[in-house]
Amino acid sequence: MDHLKALGLSEQKIKETLKNAALTATITRAFSFIAGDVELSASQKALLFQACSKIKPQSAQFLELLVRKIVDKSLDTSLRVDTALEYVLANATKPTFDEAAFDAACGVGVTVTPEEIEKAVEITIGKYRDDILQNRYRFNVGKLLTEIRAALPWVDGKALKSEVDVQIFDLLGPKTEADDEQAGKKRREKPAAAAPAAEATTKAPVNATLEGPRTMVDLMRNVDFHRPGENFKTDGYVVTPETERLLKEHLQRTGGKVRTRFPPEPNGILHIGHAKAININFAYAAANDGVCFLRYDDTNPEKEEEKFVLGIRDIVNWLGYKPFKVTYSSDYFQQLYEFAVKLIKKGMAYVCHQTAEQMKGFTTEPSRWRDRPVAESLQLFEDMKNGKIDEGAATLRMKITLEEGKMDPVAYRIKFIPHHRTGTQWCIYPTYDYTHCLCDSLEDITHSLCTKEFQSRRSSYYWLCNALDIYCPVQWEYARLNVNYTVVSKRKINKLITESKREDDIVNDWDDPRLFTLSALRRKGYPAEAINNFCAQMGLTGAQTSIDPAALEASVRDVLNVTAPRTMAVLEPIKITISNYPHDGPVKLPVADFPNAPEKGTHEVWFDRVVYIERSDFMENADKSFRRLTPGQTVGLKYTGLMLRVESIVRVGGEPTGLPKELVCRSEPCTSTEKPKAYIHWVAKPVPAEVRLYEKLFVHKNPEDSNEVPGGFLSDCATDTMRSVCAYIDEHVVGCKVYDKFQFERVGFFSVDPESATGQLVFNRTVTLKEDAGKTN
């Protein structure tokens, strides 16, 4: 507290600083380097606080140097302190430190005289003289200041601005009424002019700009990650005496390119959360002219299958990304084994016989085998590899405690299960905690991007690479993508598929359109572009949030609205016979694929004496708010120029009380004076098709919340989540292909299902149309 007061901080600032234990400790340490009789000026106090609050842990050993330089006034400006902090961070890995080079880089002792300032301003104003005379006081003086500061980096900012103002005044003279008028006009216009710039910032809504959604690549261009080879500048990165050499060798191997990886486990199909991971890894590489690996984390032969390997590759390609190289953790099994032997020899790993139950949790008893002789662990590990020890009877554990408190995580376990790639070559398999960072290192990954739940593994990530004296990448975390009204856990989806007992709850497979796996969303008709745009809209944040499916549906509509051609389809048809049909027989009418963009093409639809409309577009007894077809009210048929008037109703069974099964109508031309209240879609000479209509699979927003759903997520499955209807669709869609997408006019967006066959079309409803407020027709 005393040291904080000595810095002249306000009471509020002191309270805020005390909440930051690391900063408080750094300030206390800084004062330990200052003699008791030294009295700091107000500017020195501010510079000292600046140094303490900005110094990185990697360069903490230079705090004494910075304090000394501030006290002796070598670092006398904020710019010099910032430059000093950058210099010590950039040189943190070097074995020796050159203080003379430090002083030169920070401009220590460099003074800029008034004469130098005057001369520099005179030269720069002369360079822009014509522009200044033409624009007068509207000229952007910031351009001059930037250019002069580049030439005189240690110039005093106030002195420079004052000299520029004086010389501009000498050139232009006092401001005139015209200058003031122009300045006032500029101020009035400024808000409108500034709007596009605000929309272009990373915080702007994705759909804010006229050009449409910002892409993930655009988003990743503005991410403040470290540059390749500057790993040590990242908070939390552990620097060793070998770091500088290892980073230089890494840069030689990679040419300084960004290298990322998407590392899925091939034990299930990817879900919507993986879409964010795919986009972040591939887009960051693309935004920086780098490369991205697709690496299968195939270290658990118990659950991994080749079909999932193929399915993952298919989805990555569907999202529009092409891996630089496809690799597998199993590619490195031999190297990983050799690394484990090296750890044992260094006394950093040991063979343990605690059971899985004994190692479970975070407050376990330390293993009594932790300090067993190295030679003994080496022999036992060899026995594990050669199948001489039973499954579960031994593991290899690393001597480290994770941030979350878990002690000595397992590096290898025994599994007598054939691997989908290596067969029976191995019976010991490495864990994620052991494998992931080492594969990242072997592939020279620059940015190991992962979700927040892996933050607790960061210490073991850095520890393991440094323990083996190999290149250490940087781990960056971001928030995972959570969506309401669904489960995305592979284990739980598999349980839905295999264990759900009630017929109306069962999902058929990983690509069932009621799920949020990416194969399910593709089957439902979600465009890859919409999913990518949605991920960009979520941004790159560390805050955990849950998104309503409506946000994803909005992205889908944005894309489909400009890519899915219109067609007419009737989901629940009722027959209409036009008694005074105006043509001799069936005729074809041209209809635009996109009504708002007729230049994108047209198709033809049949019009005939018999047409079909939606049953909901007719009401026998309707109130005044109903604007469609009733016995006393006409309705228009889109694209025909005609409206229908009911003449008679044909009922089921011919009974007066029977439900309407056919309407006999008279057609009348629409004119400028005789117009219907509404126009409806219809079909003539249609083809039948199965149309599947999907609803939310779960009742509650979070089906995994035991407070909301005490019976577990399986008990939260809604009933009637899929309804199949026999619809009538316009004939021109007959030649469509699987995954082709259409907007069924006034109904919604639909996609051709893979189960479609010749003569039997199957459509899935992708999303409903976005309803306008007050829409009744």
Side-chain angles (χ1 to χ4, degrees), residues 297 299 336 343 362 396-398 400 402-404 406-413 429-440 453-465 468 475:
D297 180 30
T299 59
L336 295 174
L343 276 182
F362 298 98
L396 181 71
R397 298 176 68 179
M398 298 176 282
I400 180 179
L402 303 178
E403 288 100 324
E404 58 194 13
K406 187 160 184 66
M407 187 176 183
D408 294 359
V410 172
Y412 270 89
R413 69 276 204 223
Y429 294 97
T431 61
Y432 175 90
D433 285 330
Y434 177 78
T435 305
H436 186 65
C437 62
L438 299 183
C439 288
D440 279 353
E453 62 262 37
F454 293 103
Q455 186 169 342
S456 62
R457 266 77 166 247
R458 193 199 297 171
S459 60
S460 67
Y461 187 108
Y462 293 159
W463 175 86
L464 190 48
C465 290
L468 292 165
Q475 178 173 306

Coordinates of all heavy atoms in Angstrom, one line a residue, residues 297 299 336 343 362 396-398 400 402-404 406-413 429-440 453-465 468 475:
D297 N -6.0 -36.6 -34.2 CA -5.5 -36.9 -32.9 C -5.9 -38.4 -32.6 O -6.8 -38.6 -31.8 CB -6.0 -35.9 -31.9 CG -5.5 -36.3 -30.5 OD1 -4.4 -36.8 -30.4 OD2 -6.2 -36.0 -29.5
T299 N -5.0 -41.2 -30.9 CA -4.2 -41.9 -29.9 C -5.1 -42.8 -29.0 O -4.6 -43.4 -28.1 CB -3.5 -40.9 -29.0 OG1 -4.5 -40.0 -28.4 CG2 -2.5 -40.0 -29.8
L336 N 7.4 -40.2 -30.4 CA 6.8 -39.9 -29.1 C 7.3 -40.9 -28.1 O 7.6 -40.5 -26.9 CB 5.3 -40.0 -29.2 CG 4.6 -38.9 -30.1 CD1 3.1 -39.2 -30.2 CD2 4.8 -37.5 -29.5
L343 N 12.5 -38.6 -21.3 CA 11.9 -38.0 -20.1 C 12.3 -38.9 -18.9 O 12.7 -38.3 -17.8 CB 10.4 -37.9 -20.2 CG 9.8 -36.6 -20.8 CD1 8.3 -36.7 -20.8 CD2 10.3 -35.4 -20.2
F362 N -8.6 -34.4 -8.2 CA -7.5 -33.4 -8.1 C -6.8 -33.4 -6.8 O -5.8 -32.7 -6.5 CB -8.1 -32.0 -8.3 CG -8.7 -31.9 -9.7 CD1 -10.0 -32.0 -9.9 CD2 -7.9 -31.6 -10.8 CE1 -10.6 -31.9 -11.2 CE2 -8.4 -31.5 -12.1 CZ -9.8 -31.6 -12.3
L396 N 2.7 -44.6 -17.6 CA 3.8 -43.7 -17.5 C 3.3 -42.3 -17.1 O 2.4 -41.8 -17.8 CB 4.6 -43.6 -18.8 CG 5.9 -42.7 -18.8 CD1 6.9 -43.4 -17.9 CD2 6.4 -42.5 -20.2
R397 N 3.8 -41.7 -16.1 CA 3.3 -40.4 -15.6 C 4.4 -39.4 -15.6 O 5.6 -39.7 -15.4 CB 2.7 -40.5 -14.2 CG 1.6 -41.5 -14.1 CD 1.0 -41.7 -12.7 NE 0.4 -40.4 -12.2 CZ -0.1 -40.4 -11.0 NH1 -0.1 -41.4 -10.1 NH2 -0.7 -39.2 -10.5
M398 N 4.0 -38.1 -15.9 CA 5.0 -37.0 -16.0 C 5.0 -36.3 -14.6 O 4.0 -36.1 -14.0 CB 4.6 -36.0 -17.1 CG 4.6 -36.6 -18.5 SD 3.9 -35.5 -19.7 CE 2.2 -35.5 -19.4
I400 N 4.8 -33.4 -13.1 CA 4.3 -32.0 -13.1 C 3.0 -31.9 -12.6 O 2.2 -32.8 -12.7 CB 4.3 -31.5 -14.6 CG1 3.9 -30.0 -14.6 CG2 3.5 -32.3 -15.5 CD1 3.9 -29.4 -16.0
L402 N -0.5 -29.7 -12.9 CA -1.2 -28.8 -13.8 C -1.8 -27.6 -13.0 O -1.9 -27.6 -11.8 CB -2.3 -29.5 -14.5 CG -1.9 -30.7 -15.3 CD1 -3.1 -31.4 -16.0 CD2 -0.9 -30.3 -16.4
E403 N -2.2 -26.5 -13.7 CA -2.7 -25.3 -13.1 C -4.0 -25.7 -12.2 O -4.2 -25.1 -11.2 CB -3.2 -24.3 -14.1 CG -2.0 -23.6 -14.8 CD -1.7 -24.2 -16.2 OE1 -1.9 -25.4 -16.3 OE2 -1.4 -23.4 -17.1
E404 N -4.8 -26.6 -12.7 CA -6.0 -27.0 -12.1 C -5.7 -27.9 -10.8 O -6.7 -28.2 -10.1 CB -6.9 -27.7 -13.0 CG -6.3 -29.0 -13.6 CD -7.1 -29.6 -14.8 OE1 -7.9 -28.9 -15.3 OE2 -6.8 -30.7 -15.2
K406 N -4.2 -30.9 -10.8 CA -4.0 -32.3 -11.0 C -2.5 -32.6 -11.0 O -1.7 -32.0 -11.7 CB -4.6 -32.8 -12.3 CG -4.6 -34.3 -12.5 CD -5.6 -34.7 -13.5 CE -5.6 -36.3 -13.6 NZ -6.1 -36.9 -12.3
M407 N -2.1 -33.7 -10.3 CA -0.7 -34.0 -10.2 C -0.3 -35.1 -11.1 O -1.0 -36.1 -11.2 CB -0.4 -34.4 -8.7 CG 1.0 -34.5 -8.3 SD 1.2 -34.9 -6.5 CE 3.0 -34.9 -6.4
D408 N 0.9 -35.0 -11.7 CA 1.5 -36.1 -12.5 C 0.5 -36.7 -13.5 O 0.2 -37.9 -13.4 CB 2.1 -37.1 -11.6 CG 3.2 -36.6 -10.7 OD1 3.6 -35.5 -10.9 OD2 3.7 -37.4 -9.9
P409 N 0.2 -35.9 -14.5 CA -0.7 -36.5 -15.6 C -0.1 -37.7 -16.3 O 1.1 -37.8 -16.4 CB -1.0 -35.3 -16.5 CG 0.2 -34.4 -16.3 CD 0.6 -34.6 -14.9
V410 N -1.0 -38.6 -16.8 CA -0.5 -39.8 -17.5 C 0.0 -39.4 -18.9 O -0.7 -38.7 -19.6 CB -1.6 -40.8 -17.5 CG1 -1.2 -42.0 -18.4 CG2 -2.0 -41.3 -16.1
A411 N 1.1 -40.0 -19.2 CA 1.7 -39.8 -20.6 C 1.4 -41.0 -21.5 O 1.1 -40.9 -22.7 CB 3.2 -39.6 -20.5
Y412 N 1.4 -42.2 -20.9 CA 1.2 -43.5 -21.7 C 0.3 -44.4 -20.9 O 0.5 -44.5 -19.6 CB 2.5 -44.2 -22.0 CG 3.1 -43.7 -23.3 CD1 4.0 -42.6 -23.4 CD2 2.8 -44.4 -24.5 CE1 4.5 -42.2 -24.6 CE2 3.3 -44.0 -25.7 CZ 4.2 -42.9 -25.8 OH 4.7 -42.5 -27.0
R413 N -0.6 -45.1 -21.6 CA -1.3 -46.2 -20.9 C -1.3 -47.4 -21.8 O -1.0 -47.3 -23.0 CB -2.8 -45.8 -20.6 CG -3.7 -45.5 -21.7 CD -3.5 -44.2 -22.3 NE -4.7 -43.7 -23.0 CZ -4.7 -43.1 -24.2 NH1 -3.5 -42.9 -24.8 NH2 -5.8 -42.7 -24.8
Y429 N -0.3 -46.5 -25.8 CA -0.7 -45.3 -26.5 C -0.6 -44.0 -25.7 O -0.9 -44.0 -24.5 CB -2.2 -45.5 -26.9 CG -2.4 -46.6 -27.9 CD1 -2.8 -47.9 -27.5 CD2 -2.1 -46.4 -29.3 CE1 -2.9 -48.9 -28.4 CE2 -2.3 -47.5 -30.2 CZ -2.7 -48.7 -29.8 OH -2.8 -49.7 -30.7
P430 N -0.1 -43.0 -26.3 CA 0.1 -41.7 -25.6 C -1.2 -41.0 -25.4 O -2.2 -41.1 -26.1 CB 1.0 -40.9 -26.5 CG 0.7 -41.4 -27.9 CD 0.4 -42.9 -27.7
T431 N -1.3 -40.2 -24.3 CA -2.5 -39.4 -24.0 C -2.4 -38.1 -24.7 O -1.4 -37.7 -25.2 CB -2.5 -39.1 -22.5 OG1 -1.4 -38.4 -22.1 CG2 -2.6 -40.4 -21.7
Y432 N -3.6 -37.4 -24.7 CA -3.7 -36.0 -25.3 C -2.6 -35.1 -24.6 O -1.9 -34.4 -25.3 CB -5.1 -35.5 -25.1 CG -5.2 -34.0 -25.6 CD1 -5.5 -33.8 -26.9 CD2 -4.9 -33.0 -24.8 CE1 -5.6 -32.5 -27.4 CE2 -5.0 -31.7 -25.2 CZ -5.3 -31.4 -26.5 OH -5.4 -30.1 -27.0
D433 N -2.6 -35.1 -23.3 CA -1.7 -34.2 -22.6 C -0.2 -34.3 -23.0 O 0.5 -33.4 -23.0 CB -1.8 -34.4 -21.1 CG -3.1 -33.8 -20.5 OD1 -3.6 -32.8 -21.0 OD2 -3.6 -34.4 -19.5
Y434 N 0.1 -35.6 -23.3 CA 1.5 -35.8 -23.7 C 1.7 -35.6 -25.2 O 2.7 -35.0 -25.7 CB 1.8 -37.3 -23.4 CG 3.2 -37.7 -23.9 CD1 4.3 -37.3 -23.1 CD2 3.4 -38.5 -25.0 CE1 5.6 -37.7 -23.6 CE2 4.6 -38.8 -25.4 CZ 5.8 -38.5 -24.7 OH 7.0 -38.8 -25.1
T435 N 0.7 -36.0 -26.0 CA 0.9 -36.0 -27.5 C 0.8 -34.7 -28.1 O 1.6 -34.3 -29.0 CB -0.2 -36.9 -28.1 OG1 -0.1 -38.2 -27.5 CG2 0.0 -37.1 -29.6
H436 N -0.2 -33.9 -27.7 CA -0.6 -32.7 -28.5 C 0.6 -31.7 -28.7 O 0.9 -31.3 -29.8 CB -1.8 -32.0 -27.8 CG -2.3 -30.9 -28.6 ND1 -2.9 -31.1 -29.8 CD2 -2.4 -29.6 -28.4 CE1 -3.3 -30.0 -30.3 NE2 -3.0 -29.0 -29.4
C437 N 1.2 -31.3 -27.6 CA 2.2 -30.3 -27.7 C 3.4 -30.8 -28.5 O 4.1 -30.1 -29.2 CB 2.7 -29.8 -26.3 SG 3.4 -31.1 -25.3
L438 N 3.7 -32.1 -28.3 CA 4.9 -32.7 -29.0 C 4.7 -32.8 -30.5 O 5.6 -32.5 -31.3 CB 5.2 -34.1 -28.5 CG 5.6 -34.1 -27.0 CD1 6.0 -35.5 -26.5 CD2 6.7 -33.1 -26.6
C439 N 3.4 -33.1 -30.9 CA 3.1 -33.1 -32.4 C 3.1 -31.7 -32.9 O 3.6 -31.5 -34.0 CB 1.8 -33.8 -32.6 SG 1.8 -35.6 -32.4
D440 N 2.6 -30.7 -32.1 CA 2.7 -29.3 -32.5 C 4.2 -28.9 -32.8 O 4.5 -28.3 -33.7 CB 2.1 -28.4 -31.5 CG 0.6 -28.4 -31.5 OD1 0.0 -28.9 -32.5 OD2 0.0 -27.7 -30.6
E453 N -11.1 -24.6 -22.4 CA -11.0 -25.7 -21.5 C -9.6 -26.2 -21.5 O -9.2 -27.0 -20.5 CB -12.0 -26.8 -21.7 CG -11.9 -27.4 -23.1 CD -12.9 -26.9 -24.1 OE1 -13.1 -25.6 -24.0 OE2 -13.4 -27.6 -24.9
F454 N -8.8 -25.9 -22.5 CA -7.4 -26.4 -22.5 C -6.4 -25.5 -21.9 O -5.2 -25.7 -21.9 CB -7.0 -26.7 -24.0 CG -7.8 -27.9 -24.6 CD1 -8.8 -27.6 -25.5 CD2 -7.5 -29.2 -24.3 CE1 -9.5 -28.6 -26.0 CE2 -8.2 -30.2 -24.8 CZ -9.2 -29.9 -25.7
Q455 N -6.9 -24.4 -21.3 CA -6.0 -23.4 -20.7 C -5.3 -24.0 -19.5 O -4.1 -23.7 -19.3 CB -6.8 -22.2 -20.2 CG -6.0 -21.1 -19.7 CD -6.8 -19.8 -19.5 OE1 -7.8 -19.6 -20.0 NE2 -6.2 -18.9 -18.7
S456 N -5.9 -24.9 -18.8 CA -5.3 -25.6 -17.7 C -4.2 -26.5 -18.1 O -3.4 -27.0 -17.3 CB -6.4 -26.4 -16.9 OG -6.9 -27.4 -17.7
R457 N -4.1 -26.9 -19.4 CA -3.1 -27.7 -19.9 C -1.9 -26.9 -20.4 O -0.9 -27.5 -20.9 CB -3.6 -28.6 -21.1 CG -4.1 -29.9 -20.7 CD -5.5 -30.0 -20.1 NE -6.0 -31.3 -20.1 CZ -7.1 -31.7 -20.9 NH1 -7.7 -30.8 -21.6 NH2 -7.5 -33.0 -20.8
R458 N -2.0 -25.6 -20.4 CA -0.9 -24.8 -21.0 C 0.4 -25.0 -20.3 O 1.5 -25.1 -20.9 CB -1.3 -23.3 -21.0 CG -0.3 -22.5 -21.8 CD -0.4 -21.0 -21.5 NE -1.7 -20.4 -21.7 CZ -2.0 -19.2 -21.3 NH1 -1.2 -18.5 -20.6 NH2 -3.2 -18.7 -21.5
S459 N 0.4 -25.2 -18.9 CA 1.7 -25.3 -18.2 C 2.3 -26.6 -18.6 O 3.6 -26.7 -18.8 CB 1.4 -25.3 -16.7 OG 0.5 -26.4 -16.3
S460 N 1.6 -27.7 -18.8 CA 2.2 -29.0 -19.1 C 2.7 -28.9 -20.6 O 3.7 -29.6 -21.0 CB 1.2 -30.2 -19.0 OG 0.1 -30.1 -19.9
Y461 N 2.0 -28.1 -21.4 CA 2.3 -28.0 -22.8 C 3.8 -27.4 -22.9 O 4.7 -27.9 -23.5 CB 1.3 -27.0 -23.5 CG 1.5 -26.8 -25.0 CD1 0.5 -27.4 -25.8 CD2 2.5 -26.1 -25.5 CE1 0.6 -27.2 -27.2 CE2 2.6 -25.9 -26.9 CZ 1.6 -26.5 -27.7 OH 1.7 -26.3 -29.1
Y462 N 4.0 -26.2 -22.2 CA 5.3 -25.6 -22.2 C 6.3 -26.4 -21.5 O 7.5 -26.5 -21.9 CB 5.2 -24.2 -21.6 CG 4.4 -23.2 -22.4 CD1 3.8 -22.1 -21.8 CD2 4.1 -23.4 -23.7 CE1 3.1 -21.2 -22.5 CE2 3.4 -22.5 -24.5 CZ 2.8 -21.4 -23.8 OH 2.1 -20.5 -24.6
W463 N 5.9 -27.0 -20.3 CA 6.9 -27.8 -19.5 C 7.4 -28.9 -20.4 O 8.6 -29.2 -20.3 CB 6.2 -28.3 -18.3 CG 7.0 -29.2 -17.5 CD1 7.9 -28.9 -16.5 CD2 7.1 -30.7 -17.5 NE1 8.5 -30.0 -16.0 CE2 8.0 -31.1 -16.6 CE3 6.4 -31.6 -18.3 CZ2 8.3 -32.5 -16.4 CZ3 6.7 -33.0 -18.1 CH2 7.6 -33.4 -17.2
L464 N 6.6 -29.7 -21.1 CA 7.0 -30.9 -21.8 C 8.0 -30.5 -22.9 O 9.0 -31.2 -23.1 CB 5.8 -31.6 -22.3 CG 6.0 -33.0 -22.9 CD1 6.8 -33.9 -21.9 CD2 4.6 -33.7 -23.1
C465 N 7.6 -29.5 -23.7 CA 8.5 -29.1 -24.8 C 9.9 -28.7 -24.2 O 10.9 -29.1 -24.8 CB 7.9 -28.0 -25.6 SG 6.5 -28.5 -26.6
L468 N 12.1 -31.5 -22.9 CA 12.8 -32.3 -23.9 C 13.7 -31.4 -24.8 O 14.3 -31.9 -25.7 CB 11.7 -32.9 -24.8 CG 10.9 -34.0 -24.1 CD1 9.7 -34.3 -24.9 CD2 11.7 -35.3 -23.9
Q475 N 0.5 -21.6 -27.2 CA -0.9 -21.9 -27.1 C -1.7 -20.7 -26.8 O -1.5 -19.9 -25.9 CB -1.1 -22.9 -25.9 CG -2.6 -23.3 -25.8 CD -2.7 -24.4 -24.8 OE1 -2.1 -25.5 -24.9 NE2 -3.6 -24.2 -23.8

